[in-house]
Amino acid sequence: MENKRDFLKKLSLLTVGGVVGSSIVPAIASEKSASSFSAAKKSIGLQIYSLGKELVENVPAGMKKIAEIGYSTIELAGYGNRKMGIYEVADYKKIVDDAGLKITSSHVNPPVRKYSADNVAQIDDFWKKTVEDHVKLGVKFLVQPGMPSIESQEDAKLVCEVFNKAGEVAKSAGIKWGYHNHHMEFKRVVKESEKTTTENQNPFQQKGDVIYDLLLNGTDPGLVFFEMDVYWTVMGQNDPLEYFEKYPTRFPVLHIKDRSVLGKSGMMNFENIFNLAYKNGLSEYYVEIEKVKTNMTQFEGVKDCFTYLNNASFVK
Ligand code: MG
């Protein structure tokens, strides 16, 4: 299927050939108006994790393909050892720039999952180096996508302190630092002193406070934002809209995700999600798709997700 840009290009050529005639000047004018129209297209972002090895095996060609589908921005995944895969960060940025895309965000996890007084300095140091590299990548957002170990309210408190510190380091370099959830953030934890041995088997129905709320309430809104993954919130038996209402300023960035291709499962009400997110000042969102289950490539899945959002009247 041709994308919007190809279609407009053909349309402009057809107009020149069929109506305007043989002059080269209107052809240039039409080309210009076609490209200025496509520049006003919807700005849709992609989390590149969605493409898996289909992107990694040829990054320059893959980035061009992402741009051809119509995406404008990307959120990275795969930063490690101060590189992006086999590439130095500056080289990676050039590849993305050359494809006409913009890196606006990046997912990075610190090297440890269980935070303690013994390793907080190591984590702080990790974020300092990571922020330095992400200044070179030109991101607006730096996001931790993996949940640290949180088994008690005390654990949550320490995690919030580490998050605030990471946010401070990023802020000093002009980058906003955020946290991305899966579903386990919606389980509840009690204080160490309240722990019992007869806990309910269903972690979502235990007593105590919801971890996600502990993180939202325990972090400084000026230092830490939350990139809500709306699909994982639903999988955590919660309603994204209730969170948007309860914490209207904390979700400037979203992961737009469904069980597979967007809009197919029927379990996600994207219209309500976008409406309220825009009202709350949504800055950017990224499409994410796990491994597609049917007989299609990741690129095809990513393209169908773009088409869904591009055709949706509720997406600006
Ligand atoms: Mg996600």
Side-chain angles (χ1 to χ4, degrees), residues 107 180-181 229 232 255 257 288:
H107 273 196
H180 161 281
N181 65 287
D229 186 309
W232 283 116
H255 260 201
K257 179 175 158 75
E288 185 179 40

Side-chain angles (χ1 to χ4, degrees), residues 139-159:
V139 299
K140 286 196 281 187
F141 311 115
L142 184 55
V143 179
Q144 174 167 337
M147 184 179 166
S149 167
I150 299 177
E151 300 300 331
S152 67
Q153 294 189 9
E154 286 82 353
D155 285 349
K157 190 167 177 286
L158 179 63
V159 166

Side-chain angles (χ1 to χ4, degrees), residues 9 18 35 66 94 124 126 168 195 209 234 243 289 304:
K9 204 169 168 186
S35 65
I66 295 169
K94 186 169 185 314
D124 291 349
F126 170 82
E168 221 173 273
K195 279 189 177 177
D209 292 332
V234 169
Y243 273 92
I289 183 169
D304 286 356

Side-chain angles (χ1 to χ4, degrees), residues 147-183:
M147 184 179 166
S149 167
I150 299 177
E151 300 300 331
S152 67
Q153 294 189 9
E154 286 82 353
D155 285 349
K157 190 167 177 286
L158 179 63
V159 166
C160 288
E161 285 168 19
V162 174
F163 282 6
N164 280 336
K165 194 74 200 293
E168 221 173 273
V169 172
K171 192 178 184 177
S172 67
I175 294 173
K176 291 187 166 75
W177 194 92
Y179 177 71
H180 161 281
N181 65 287
H182 290 87
H183 66 308

Side-chain angles (χ1 to χ4, degrees), residues 1 44 69 71 260-264 287 289 292 294 296-311:
M1 235 177 78
I44 299 175
I69 290 169
Y71 287 97
S260 184
V261 171
L262 295 180
K264 291 267 196 252
V287 167
I289 183 169
V292 285
T294 49
M296 71 196 309
T297 65
Q298 292 303 115
F299 265 108
E300 285 165 345
V302 158
K303 185 173 181 175
D304 286 356
C305 288
F306 178 85
T307 303
Y308 172 79
L309 294 178
N310 205 36
N311 291 341

Side-chain angles (χ1 to χ4, degrees), residues 27-71:
I28 291 165
S30 293
E31 276 292 290
K32 262 193 174 166
S33 65
S35 65
S36 63
F37 186 90
S38 62
K41 68 182 180 176
K42 292 179 185 178
S43 177
I44 299 175
L46 176 70
Q47 163 51 256
I48 62 168
Y49 160 83
S50 309
L51 292 164
K53 64 174 175 24
E54 287 179 33
L55 173 64
V56 175
E57 62 197 13
N58 189 337
V59 177
M63 288 297 172
K64 287 197 182 104
K65 239 167 137 177
I66 295 169
E68 274 163 25
I69 290 169
Y71 287 97

